[in-house]
Amino acid sequence: MTEKSYKEYLEHITTLIFDVDGVLTDGTITVTTSGEMLRSMNIKDGYALKTAVDNGFNICIISGGSNEGVRLRLKGLGIKDIYLGAHNKIEQLNTYLSTHNIKSENVLYMGDDIPDYPVMKGIGLPCCPQDAVPEIKNISKYVSHKKGGKGAVRDVIEQVLKVQGKWHGNFEAKYD
């Protein structure tokens, strides 16, 4: 039996779940003198997230970090299911899937480090940025050519939406 290509999973994805640090950010934290921890996010990742929200995808963020600036940014993109300070990601995932009646095989999850491992083992399409740790790369069905915080989220969202005919497929006709 041959293993399926990751592209064969894309048409069945209804739910996109992302970690924050190392996925939506490059994993760098700038600590100010007051102790505030600043992160930076890629605007193109944000555009893709907003496009997925607008196309009716379930979008969920599960992160061990608890930065309120991150929550505000993601809420501004229309994401409602944001779980920060989630130290048991698998428990949070199971609750989310159960609450929303989502099958794990319809889930794409992008993580980059060991805390994402248990979550990624139980979903349909585990993905990671190019600079994820080896253990995560080894269990990922897709490793983006982009690094975390540098377009990896846009990469996977765009692929899902293109396969499903939801990525501005008729762009020229709309703007003639």
Side-chain angles (χ1 to χ4, degrees), residues 148-160:
K150 305 293 183 191
V153 169
R154 164 79 176 250
D155 174 34
V156 296
I157 291 175
E158 190 173 327
Q159 288 189 60
V160 171

Side-chain angles (χ1 to χ4, degrees), residues 54-74:
D54 292 347
N55 275 281
F57 282 83
N58 302 309
I59 309 291
C60 178
I61 305 299
I62 302 176
S63 176
S66 56
N67 184 289
E68 285 306 308
V70 168
R71 184 185 310 277
L72 287 172
R73 166 69 176 144
L74 297 170

Side-chain angles (χ1 to χ4, degrees), residues 20-165:
V20 174
D21 293 320
V23 174
L24 283 164
T25 76
D26 67 3
T28 301
I29 298 174
T30 302
V31 182
T32 67
T33 56
S34 65
E36 186 177 5
M37 292 186 247
L38 306 175
R39 293 158 171 85
S40 95
M41 295 182 168
N42 187 300
I43 198 77
K44 290 179 180 148
D45 287 346
Y47 176 77
L49 285 163
K50 178 74 172 120
T51 301
V53 167
D54 292 347
N55 275 281
F57 282 83
N58 302 309
I59 309 291
C60 178
I61 305 299
I62 302 176
S63 176
S66 56
N67 184 289
E68 285 306 308
V70 168
R71 184 185 310 277
L72 287 172
R73 166 69 176 144
L74 297 170
K75 281 183 100 163
L77 296 172
I79 300 170
K80 296 180 177 109
D81 298 302
I82 304 166
Y83 304 100
L84 303 181
H87 299 293
N88 186 341
K89 291 185 177 189
I90 191 74
E91 183 178 300
Q92 188 63 64
L93 171 77
N94 290 335
T95 299
Y96 176 76
L97 296 182
S98 175
T99 300
H100 296 283
N101 197 27
I102 298 167
K103 294 180 181 174
S104 60
E105 60 262 25
N106 299 119
V107 175
L108 177 153
Y109 182 97
M110 181 173 266
D112 72 306
D113 209 344
I114 300 303
D116 301 305
Y117 191 96
V119 175
M120 292 174 70
K121 290 293 285 181
I123 52 95
L125 185 54
C127 302
C128 69
Q130 184 272 323
D131 56 344
V133 299
E135 294 88 348
I136 296 301
K137 282 183 168 181
N138 289 339
I139 63 167
S140 292
K141 291 179 180 165
Y142 176 68
V143 177
S144 176
H145 63 283
K146 302 278 189 175
K147 292 181 178 183
K150 305 293 183 191
V153 169
R154 164 79 176 250
D155 174 34
V156 296
I157 291 175
E158 190 173 327
Q159 288 189 60
V160 171
L161 270 62
K162 281 181 176 177
V163 163
Q164 295 185 18

